[in-house]
Amino acid sequence: MKLQKCSSAIFGRRVESTDVIVTIGAYQGIYWTFQLFIEEDDEVIVFNPTFDAYRMNNLMTKGKIVPVELEIKSDQWVLDRELLAQSFSNKTKMVVLNTPHNPTGKCFTREELTYIGDLCKKHNCIVMSDEVYDRYTLNNHEHVRMASLPGMWERTVSLYSAGKMFAITGWRLGWAIGPRQIIQKLHGVALKLT
């Protein structure tokens, strides 16, 4: 109940118990999300440099990683919007978002997230938003949750980690939050894989 109440506050909407699934760390949520949405030859957009778990989980599904390089300009990591737009195709099924980004620390801005979200809506794909570092923003950057943006709740799986949140990384406790219809399907994946 407390997780549901806290989640409602951070998303600015009522989060029901059916919108949440508890995982063995966020890593299990990553695994289940890939297993649910990605099939052989489906494309998954990631932002490079990227956390290796995304590539490893993608290998198990035989999907194709489509890297979008983040660039350094004036000591800041910058998203090349044109490159991102060109990376989408009719095979794109998911965008993996990690903000604050591991390993760069980049906090995607509201404008960047809105742009990413608009492309996902245009191409009808899912966002897996890995937000395990949501409390570690640098230089007073605002942490914006993808699922809180207009039209993105319905197509976003947000992942969290108690180990990261409370700096107790030995604890493998995580959770995924998203629309009921996606979370119900994640429960189905969990039943088959655990």
Side-chain angles (χ1 to χ4, degrees):
M1 186 65 151
K2 287 185 180 184
L3 183 58
Q4 180 183 339
K5 192 175 190 181
C6 175
S7 298
S8 294
I10 65 173
F11 284 105
R13 65 177 299 129
R14 186 175 173 91
V15 175
E16 303 290 345
S17 60
T18 52
D19 300 331
V20 180
I21 185 171
V22 176
T23 60
I24 302 171
Y27 197 99
Q28 188 175 49
I30 294 168
Y31 176 63
W32 289 348
T33 304
F34 270 87
Q35 291 297 314
L36 176 59
F37 291 109
I38 306 304
E39 296 179 3
E40 190 169 353
D41 295 326
D42 286 345
E43 294 180 355
V44 179
I45 294 175
V46 299
F47 298 101
N48 267 353
T50 193
F51 179 43
D52 64 344
Y54 308 141
R55 291 183 188 279
M56 298 303 291
N57 280 284
N58 187 66
L59 279 173
M60 290 184 265
T61 64
K62 298 183 181 175
K64 179 184 174 194
I65 290 285
V66 178
V68 174
E69 300 295 329
L70 295 174
E71 302 173 358
I72 297 178
K73 291 184 181 175
S74 303
D75 297 329
Q76 297 289 320
W77 290 94
V78 178
L79 172 63
D80 182 333
R81 294 179 185 201
E82 187 175 315
L83 177 62
L84 175 61
Q86 292 169 358
S87 298
F88 280 82
S89 78
N90 62 349
K91 291 185 175 186
T92 305
K93 297 293 185 263
M94 185 164 69
V95 172
V96 175
L97 178 67
N98 179 221
T99 185
H101 185 261
N102 176 9
T104 68
K106 174 184 176 44
C107 291
F108 286 83
T109 66
R110 182 176 298 278
E111 292 76 23
E112 288 172 325
L113 292 174
T114 299
Y115 184 76
I116 294 166
D118 288 346
L119 287 170
C120 290
K121 288 183 275 191
K122 177 181 177 183
H123 294 278
N124 193 30
C125 64
I126 295 294
V127 175
M128 185 185 76
S129 187
D130 182 348
E131 299 189 24
V132 298
Y133 296 110
D134 66 334
R135 312 217 180 221
Y136 297 99
T137 58
L138 304 172
N139 302 323
N140 296 319
H141 287 297
E142 173 190 26
H143 176 70
V144 179
R145 297 172 200 290
M146 177 60 88
S148 70
L149 297 176
M152 291 309 296
W153 171 260
E154 298 79 13
R155 63 180 62 251
T156 304
V157 176
S158 302
L159 302 172
Y160 297 92
S161 164
K164 300 288 190 303
M165 187 178 289
F166 301 112
I168 45 175
T169 55
W171 284 24
R172 296 290 180 226
L173 178 62
W175 57 96
I177 299 173
R180 179 175 301 118
Q181 65 274 18
I182 290 177
I183 298 301
Q184 285 176 339
K185 290 177 183 176
L186 284 177
H187 276 282
V189 170
L191 287 171
K192 292 177 184 170
L193 298 177
T194 50

